[in-house]
Amino acid sequence: MDRIQANRLRNALWASFTLLLLAIAVVTIALNTGSIRLSPSEVWNTLWGNGTSEQVLILFEYRLPRIVITALAGMGLGVAGAVLQGVSRNALADPGIFGLHAGAAFGLIVFVSFFRTMEGPAALLIPIFTFAGGVVTAVIIFLFAYDRFKGLLPIRLILVGIAVEAGISAFTLFLSLRLDEDTYSFTARWLAGSVWGREWIHVWTLLPWIVLLIPFLYSQSKKLDLFALGDELASGIGSRVTRNRIVMLAAAVALSCASVAMAGGIGFIGLVAPHIARRLAGPQHRYFLPVAALTGLVILVTADTIGRSILQPVAIPAGIVVAMVGGPYFLYMLFKTKF
């Protein structure tokens, strides 16, 4: 057993190290990519305070906040997806498929209906609104998916989540049509998963949620592992299954909603990243959760970089790029998974 654990630890460390190098490479490319080209030497000089005023503006006010947002949101979505898959014991679980993104979108629509902006101090309230929308959605889903004799049924969670997502998305679209032209334009970009126009205030808004929730969920790794045994067996060895499930779900909802609040309605990262991480680091959460976070980071930063460069000067939202890969992968997992 010790040898197996040692191998898993070694695989997790190698995977984390490789992904970290890949993340550095992707971020470096992202810094040099955009409608206005900056050479690697110009980026380096600007980072060390030797760039022109235009280079400083481009790098520090436009590109860096956008890259940091995508990095943080990618980590959050990767970990949230891994937790949801563990809690529901369903390989197809994902914050978007669960309907949490639809709830977050509804919360954002309510926010912009009142404040009409994402800029300034009001931006600090956005994750609270999206979290509230996600919580309401999660409660509705859990109520319909709960069986008083069998508890939360994993397959019913997915089916109910899809149905609730469709209903909330339709209501969100109806509310968005009542917005003024500028606010509606912003909302449409957000729903498509665009991170255009993000500023440092959005970074500071998202950062506390990532810094607090990812370490907390990692500290619950052993409890997450017990869900794989089934509720009855986990309860038999002393796990407080219902309480732990509610706590984990609440944290995953908060992490997911805060991430999409700043990065937009980006789906499938929570589905793909945990699967890749599990293949690289094994099934235990203490090994593959950090790998899932780094995988989500690499996927989202890469998707945004591709979206900014493929049809310059027109940018494709990162959410569309991710969906082009995540959609076929979801179908692959759907046919592969035995219910």
Side-chain angles (χ1 to χ4, degrees):
M1 182 63 68
D2 291 340
R3 185 175 181 179
I4 294 175
Q5 295 296 330
N7 288 335
R8 288 176 176 173
L9 176 60
R10 184 175 64 253
N11 292 338
L13 290 175
W14 272 112
S16 298
F17 179 71
T18 302
L19 285 167
L20 187 60
L21 292 179
L22 187 58
I24 293 173
V26 168
V27 169
T28 302
I29 294 172
L31 287 172
N32 291 274
T33 302
S35 56
I36 300 178
R37 293 284 185 178
L38 292 179
S39 67
S41 61
E42 289 174 332
V43 170
W44 179 259
N45 290 332
T46 305
L47 288 173
W48 287 98
N50 298 320
T52 64
S53 57
E54 181 183 12
Q55 291 169 347
V56 169
L57 179 66
I58 293 170
L59 195 62
F60 286 98
E61 299 301 324
Y62 292 105
R63 291 188 186 170
L64 269 177
R66 182 170 183 162
I67 292 170
V68 175
I69 282 289
T70 53
L72 293 176
M75 293 173 64
L77 292 172
V79 172
V83 172
L84 290 175
Q85 289 175 13
V87 169
S88 66
R89 302 196 307 276
N90 194 312
L92 298 179
D94 167 80
I97 298 169
F98 259 167
L100 301 181
H101 288 180
F106 175 74
L108 185 85
I109 291 296
V110 174
F111 172 85
V112 296
S113 297
F114 281 101
F115 293 96
R116 305 285 175 174
T117 181
M118 271 190 69
E119 301 176 354
L124 297 172
L125 299 175
I126 296 175
I128 298 176
F129 276 77
T130 56
F131 175 56
V135 167
V136 171
T137 304
V139 169
I140 294 173
I141 293 172
F142 299 152
L143 286 177
F144 281 103
Y146 184 81
D147 185 282
R148 62 176 180 172
F149 298 109
K150 298 180 181 179
L152 280 175
L153 302 177
I155 184 61
R156 191 183 291 181
L157 275 174
I158 299 294
L159 297 176
V160 173
I162 293 173
V164 171
E165 178 190 17
I168 293 180
S169 296
F171 190 57
T172 299
L173 181 60
F174 170 75
L175 291 179
S176 67
L177 294 175
R178 300 169 62 88
L179 300 173
D180 60 75
E181 184 177 350
D182 292 338
T183 308
Y184 176 78
S185 177
F186 155 74
T187 304
R189 289 197 304 269
W190 184 92
L191 290 173
S194 173
V195 289
W196 179 85
R198 298 299 186 267
E199 302 174 354
W200 286 110
I201 183 65
H202 304 125
V203 173
W204 303 126
T205 300
L206 177 58
L207 186 62
W209 295 75
I210 301 297
V211 169
L212 293 176
L213 290 175
I214 289 183
F216 168 73
L217 288 169
Y218 182 78
S219 71
Q220 306 298 307
S221 295
K222 292 183 178 180
K223 295 178 182 178
L224 284 168
D225 289 335
L226 293 178
F227 285 113
L229 303 176
D231 290 1
E232 293 183 3
L233 185 55
S235 298
I237 60 177
S239 176
R240 302 174 65 180
V241 175
T242 301
R243 176 185 177 276
N244 291 339
R245 178 173 278 123
I246 292 174
V247 171
M248 303 295 176
L249 286 172
V253 169
L255 188 59
S256 171
C257 291
S259 298
V260 299
M262 294 297 108
I266 296 173
F268 294 113
I269 289 181
L271 172 69
V272 176
H275 281 280
I276 295 175
R278 203 174 285 109
R279 288 177 179 270
L280 293 174
Q284 290 182 289
H285 286 80
R286 60 175 169 167
Y287 295 137
F288 85 80
L289 276 181
V291 180
L294 289 172
T295 303
L297 183 157
V298 170
I299 291 174
L300 190 50
V301 175
T302 301
D304 183 54
T305 303
I306 293 173
R308 286 191 289 126
S309 60
I310 193 170
L311 290 176
Q312 290 185 7
V314 178
I316 300 174
I320 295 177
V321 178
V322 172
M324 292 172 63
V325 177
Y329 187 82
F330 175 75
L331 292 176
Y332 164 74
M333 289 301 304
L334 182 64
F335 286 110
K336 183 180 178 181
T337 301
K338 297 180 180 180
F339 295 102

